[in-house]
Amino acid sequence: MNTAGHSEATLPRGLELTPFRGLRYDPDRVGSLAAVTSPPYDVVVRPDGLHHLQDSDPHNIVRLILPQATTPSARNEQAADTLRRWVAEGVLTTDAEPGLYVYEQRHDDGMLQRGVIGALRVSDPSEGVVLPHEDVMPHVVADRAALMRATSANLEPLLLTYRGNGSTPTSKVVERTAQQPPLLATTTEDGYSHRLWAVTDPDDLADVRSDLAHHQALIADGHHRWATYRLLRAEHPSPSDWDHGLVLLVDTARYPLRVRAIHRLLHGLPVADALAALDGLFRVQRLDVPLPEALTALADAACAGNAFLLAGDGAFHLVDHPDPALLARTIPADHPTAWRTLDATVLHATLLDHVWHIPEDSPAHIAYIHDTAATVEKAERDGGTAVLMHPVREEVVRDLARQGVTMPRKSTSFGPKPASGLVLRALEL
């Protein structure tokens, strides 16, 4: 639905961030806080990454966000039972009073990100308050919804961004809070340090609430979970705890996010077959170079137009210069130019739909993987084709979202993403 015209200055009802009683690990009951955290559920590379996380600590959050059993219902029941048991045993404890949570991520490469975690009022895209920029896959929404119903919990925060001026009342609360001793501090194996603080002062909470009421947010990471929040809200008479969902809000005027691509792994399509289908439709160049050099070549080619890297046969193949007549036949004309020229649009509308005939929503045919090297390794091991993408700029994403135009699913990977397991939201507490 088109939400053009919903500027931040004219929002009828902006962001409503509500304090909640966080559910957090008791550091004395687990091996280490780092060992119980996980990347978001859709970033975990399965099965290798899943097994690694499960083995790192018997209480790792992955046992809740990606439970393992023979059927979907058994998985969800297992997660619910595990959550109840951990709460009963004191592994997870509820904070004494409601609050918002300031969350900091830092890396030795100079990256610093701070934001606020809270329970955000769930809204529809037509309100122009929370703007999606990607389509979602219904089966993933259904899967997440079943898990949330079973556990009655928001197990991991979404990542949302908004544009303050870098010195808003919210940012002042964030920066002042970050000078205090944290509730928790840990460093995960990826080199990121994480710190968390509770904000419970009534004046601070009021300042944040009134400030955010003038802003809209862009979903940076978590489209499927936001769609799940909307689905579950519709199932419960309002008012209820399902009217809100757990989010991390970051002011990108102060802390710009990094935008990376999400790659595709095409199961059952050997690279030779993928390349043969491109004959006469795209220019193809074989690159016998290491991955970093291949990605540099992709970045250079992407400056001039649509470009992709195919891998899986021990080499890289730069695919660019699509036939204009092919694009005219396969790209829908009823969208803005910025959408029609996206690499993700060309990949899905032209390559997947028209050239390779691969259904984009079938896990049996396609996987979406964030890690570049892992995508290549899996393609080489499984005999499939890795399609490596070049990231799109954040301003393009935001401009399309404000026009009410959604990008093809899994078009972007904003980061750094919040670690799962640092604070949970149990409903009806």
Side-chain angles (χ1 to χ4, degrees), residues 233-271:
R233 179 198 59 175
E235 293 177 357
H236 295 80
S238 186
S240 78
D241 284 344
W242 298 97
D243 292 341
H244 296 77
L246 188 64
V247 306
L248 165 65
L249 275 168
V250 174
D251 178 0
T252 52
R254 189 173 187 92
Y255 297 109
L257 269 64
R258 297 175 177 179
V259 187
R260 292 184 170 90
I262 301 177
H263 310 297
R264 276 68 170 160
L265 175 60
L266 309 182
H267 304 300
L269 179 66
V271 175

Side-chain angles (χ1 to χ4, degrees), residues 9 34 36 48 53 101 122 148 159 237 273 354 380:
V36 296
D48 301 352
L53 290 164
Y101 295 84
V122 178
M148 286 191 205
L159 175 59
D273 293 349
H354 182 80
E380 292 180 344

Side-chain angles (χ1 to χ4, degrees), residues 48-61:
D48 301 352
L50 179 66
H51 294 157
H52 172 72
L53 290 164
Q54 287 178 329
D55 294 343
S56 66
D57 190 284
H59 300 109
N60 189 282
I61 190 67

